[in-house]
Amino acid sequence: MSTLLEVTDVATYYAAQGATIRAVDGVSFTLAGGEVLGIVGESGCGKSTLGRTVLRLVEPTAGSIRFLGEDITKLDRRAMVRRRRNMQVVFQDPFGSLNPRHRVGEIVVEPLEVHGIGDARSREARVSELLALVGLPPDAAGRYPHEFSGGQRQRIAIARALVLEPKLLIADEPVSALDVSIQSQIINLLAELRVRLGLAMLFISHDLSVIRHVSDRIAVMYLGRIVEIASTSEIFDSPSHPYTQALLSAVPHTDPARRRERILLSGEMPDPAHPPSGCAFHTRCRHAMPRCSGGRPLLTSRPTQAGPREVACYLY
Amino acid sequence: MTTTTPAVTTAILPPRRLIARTLGTPGAVAGSIILVLLVFGALFASLLSPFDPNATRVCPRLAAPSLTNFFGCDLFGRDIFSRILHGAQLSLAVGLLTVAISLIAGTIIGMVIAFLGGRVDRIGVRMLDVMLGFPAIVLAILIVAVLGVGAFNAALAVGISGIPRIARVIRSATLTLVGREYVDSARAVGASQTRILRRHLLPNLWPIVIVLGSLDLGTAILSTATLSFLGLGAQPPTAEWGAMLSAGREFMRYAPWTMIFPGLALFLAVMSVNLVGDRLSHVLDPRASGHV
Amino acid sequence: MSEAPLLAVENLSVAMGATPVLEDVSFQIAPGETLGLVGESGCGKSVTALSVMRLLPNPPGKFLGGRILFDGTDMLSLDIAALRAIRGDRIGMIFQEPMTSLNPVYTIGDQIGESLIVHRGMNGSAARTETAKLLDLVGIPAARNQLDRYPHELSGGQRQRVMIAIALACRPKLLIADEPTTALDVTVQAQILDLIGRLRVELGMAVLLITHDLGVVAEFCDRVAVMYAGRIVEEAPSAELFRNPRHRYTEALLHTMPAANPPGRKLPSISGTVPAPADRGAGCIFAARCRFAIPRCSTDLPPLTEPPHRLRCWNPA
Amino acid sequence: MPWFVRRVLGIVPTLFLTWTIVFGVLQLIPGDPVMLALGGTPASDEVLDNERRRLGLDQPVYIQYLTFLKKMAIGDLGNGYSSKQPVSEMIAARVRPSLELALGGLLVGILLGVALGIAAGLRPHGWIDTMTMSTALVGVSLPSFWIGMLLIYVFGLQLEWVPILGDGIDALILPSITIGLFLAGGLARLIRSALIETMTQDYIRTAHSKGLSAVRVVAKHAMRNAIIPPITLLGLQFAVLIGGAVVTERVFARAGLGSMLIDAVLTKDIPLVQGLVVYTTTAYIVINLLLELLYGIVDPRIRSRRA
């Protein structure tokens, strides 16, 4: 598979309350066409900012983002607009992500209008097609978002995102706001569409079981950095970074066989305005060594049976 | 200067249901009836008045109310009822003009500084806050001092002095809207700045603008009448409620009707507008009506 | 259960305005026991928790019937003074949103000590000493100098610890925890659950844990009651319930979880959504979404069977 | 830097900007200031030139502006055109009547507004609430000059209970009621909405779950959070009032700062207008600052917020 997206040393800083927040700090990864990369981490780790940076909804402070072989961080507004045809997004909040004053038809057709694709009739046909694809009734086009449930709204958001037939979909916590029984419907829909449309996805979530279910590979983020990135089976079968291990062990399971010995971390994630020196995790790590607070460990790659695994830890 | 941000409405109401819900309380119904009567009286003032409002000696000076002069007569023997009807015309027109000035300028300024953000926003907010440091009546008086007295200038002064407050509210409302995911979503599909402003922000700001306008209309009518009362607005012999009150003040011991009826008209006009505006804001603002 | 229950909710029905939100809800908690009340949003689990404390805002909340026996006393028959004597003293409560559940304008020391002053009649300095101990107990180190901090200076996890300290100040016999970890990250959730679990044993108190997270219930609770649309549909010891779910809703819910399925495989899903109160028929409310519904399901309401494995289903697994 | 020092320093640019606006706006007043200063009496060119030099009007505008700022900073407001007296002395002589009226009005407003607002806010949509809010709506719709005149007519002229003129405390009753009625309407509505909003907060539920009495929940946990908007309103209204209740002073023929401002505008006494506006806005800014310092005491979050 060819490389679709190549993110290199991307950093996104912003100023808040007189301090610099390093939301994303030196992140690199690649995504192949049709692949799903899961980005997992706890709130404040920078995963959502990373998603927005890749879309250039937030401007990166440093680094390059190559999409289809072209560095999009250098593009001007107009050129960037054209690239947006190929990269779309679905957000977490199905209540906030749809304009309450637009009918569903207007919401889904807007990308076609913006990019001047087709005429009124072909657009209408395309909207019906998309609504059917995401499992909504044809009469949905004439109704307003507030007439739909959370799960249905998320389907509308997906229809809008896919109307341009993008190659990359960034799904930012797409099922977090939904109840368990609705979650599975949306996960199934995304999985099905991925196969049908050959879609690559950056799937951002804090929910490890959701991430495990949908991803080919997983990147674990902590305080603005990727600490481990590997295939889904590698991450779950043999997590290497102490943080990954603690994170996996913290998830409660209904099946006793799936429970791991719990590694209780002390404290909480530090303030991203004042990250600790060296490895950002050393303040909570049970394996911390003197050198961990000195220099920062870099992501180091080593081959495994299921592809390369990269870990940023002095233990490896 | 308490500028709270009105909640941004999420529900859509078709006009007919909006009117039905606005008329949902006895107060709003009463307000609407008075308002309709006032507007009717103002529109057909010339047809309805028994006398020319400015014709003197149509009745004895300071004559008490009677069947021919319902509200009595003023010092110059003018019919107070006719003058009040014509005053309604002026008050409503001036009120609408005033609100239009504050709303249009305030909305544009507030929306633009919030949307551009960064330094523009910081400087803009600072300027607005400084303007808000002038008590509204003082600012209006200051503007009249520059423009000169007169009904139109008073309206202009009150309108201008209302701009900073509207701009401040619209700015905060726009900021909450800009933070909504559907605005990000529009940017993500490649929508231009103007498209986002026009298609995504403005339609969602409308209810707030309407609420602000309806709540301000009463104050606007009151403020312009106040300026006239102080001698800074409409000048004699214009039939204007504030000016009539000012003139009636000197004779209230002998002819209280010269100040009772113009004041009553002003009070009813302001209250009817406030009753309707208050209810409208409840209907359009889901937080106020407890629907959130 | 041989012991007299600490809390017995009997046939409780509650409405919010004209909408029924709880119908015929019954469950018991023995002293020292942990019961999990689990269900999706809107199923009535939080209303149950607030009802036990009589904290449901009224209006719109309204008790239509049933009893809530705490230590043999019916909470619904108590006057406000007797109720206050129980709240915060014999029953403690913690909530979902640690960010907003603490009063922003008072120090945490003040807010924890308040219960001690009100219920134990302590003076300021005694309350302060005891509050410092409580902070130690909930794992906020260097407790003394933490007393004068304000909620906004603490992280989410720390605020939830403060909430726990408030709830436990008077060593209650029952702790009601309403989604205590939902707003927290998974590693912090683990800390908080671990803390509640330890204190439960140390203080010998019973816990009513309300959550939508089946995993949390499975690992934390002795017994589980599953709610759907205002009713308890199944209740059993948690090991039994998760090994052998019998109500079709519980079964379907467990099967739809991504964690219960191999990665990449299509997830079994429950079709449709919870019907609005107006659209509910006479039978089992889940019937319309149930793959195993038989004709009787949509006409007759199944009764709740007897312990230890209670369920409300005509066609169980 | 401690938060209150930052806040105090923060008003310097605000004062500077405000004075700049006052200076700028008054430059726009039509008519030659020298002619205005001489009160329209015909004068020779020589007299005009002398007067122009004396007032510094022969200097370029930016020099005039700098001089103006310098004088403002040391509290020199210049001399009035009509009286030739120092403006600061003229203002000082009129502060007392305005201040008395401000305090009287505030007292009536607080007594009425706080009581009604709390009664309404604790039982929203109950009958007290409905009554209070209807009355408050009427209150804010009443033209204060009209209500003032009605009070004079009924209590002064017909019943003759109180004098309508004079400096005594009893002459203060009617104007205070006039202002108080206006204040009470807005205050009651604000207290009500602040209280309703606060009572739905999660921490109020926490307070109830601790077993606190209803009185303690409202008085301790709700009030301190609900108090900021009403304090703001009152503080700023007070600031407006000590600058002179323009309308009420007019109606009751009280010689305060408000009636002075109207006269100054009508006679185009620019230094006096300028002095009065500078005094009013400066009072407004200073009171605003005091309010913010007060919020810092009431709400610790404000103290820790960075500038």
Side-chain angles (χ1 to χ4, degrees), chain D residues 33-34 36-37 55 57 79-84 268-272:
Chain D
V34 179
L36 294 173
L55 293 171
L57 292 169
N79 290 346
Y81 284 166
S82 40
S83 69
K84 313 290 180 202
K268 298 208 171 179
D269 190 337
I270 294 176
L272 189 51

Side-chain angles (χ1 to χ4, degrees), chain D residues 7 42-43 53 109 155 177-178 208 224 256 267 290 297 299:
Chain D
R7 283 297 159 95
R53 237 189 324 275
F155 298 102
I177 292 175
T178 306
H208 281 298
R224 188 150 163 191
T267 58
L290 295 177
I297 296 169
D299 187 341

Side-chain angles (χ1 to χ4, degrees), chain B residues 12 21 24 29 118 127 151 276:
Chain B
I12 313 287
R21 281 194 52 192
V29 172
M127 290 305 292
V276 176

Side-chain angles (χ1 to χ4, degrees), chain A residues 86-140:
Chain A
N86 284 317
M87 49 202 306
Q88 282 301 312
V89 61
V90 174
F91 290 110
Q92 166 176 4
D93 179 10
F95 293 85
S97 61
L98 307 176
N99 190 332
R101 292 190 184 273
H102 290 180
R103 291 171 201 276
V104 170
E106 296 173 81
I107 290 170
V108 178
V109 85
E110 184 174 32
L112 296 175
E113 287 174 3
V114 166
H115 292 275
I117 298 166
D119 53 22
R121 177 180 292 179
S122 71
R123 284 176 192 167
E124 199 180 316
R126 180 83 181 125
V127 169
S128 310
E129 195 184 322
L130 260 298
L131 289 178
L133 185 70
V134 298
L136 286 172
D139 69 334

Side-chain angles (χ1 to χ4, degrees), chain C residues 133-155:
Chain C
K133 282 189 204 148
L134 279 163
L135 279 181
D136 270 335
L137 190 69
V138 297
I140 295 188
R144 265 282 169 188
N145 56 36
Q146 299 286 337
L147 287 178
D148 298 321
R149 299 183 75 188
Y150 287 95
H152 71 272
E153 300 170 315
L154 306 178
S155 68

Side-chain angles (χ1 to χ4, degrees), chain B residues 115-162:
Chain B
F115 193 61
L116 294 179
R119 187 177 296 166
V120 177
D121 186 48
R122 274 199 305 280
I123 294 173
V125 167
R126 183 104 220 183
M127 290 305 292
L128 290 177
D129 280 349
V130 168
M131 296 301 285
L132 285 165
F134 290 80
I137 186 84
V138 171
L139 193 55
I141 290 174
L142 205 55
I143 297 170
V144 169
V146 172
L147 298 173
V149 297
F152 179 75
N153 286 350
L156 213 55
V158 173
I160 295 172
S161 65

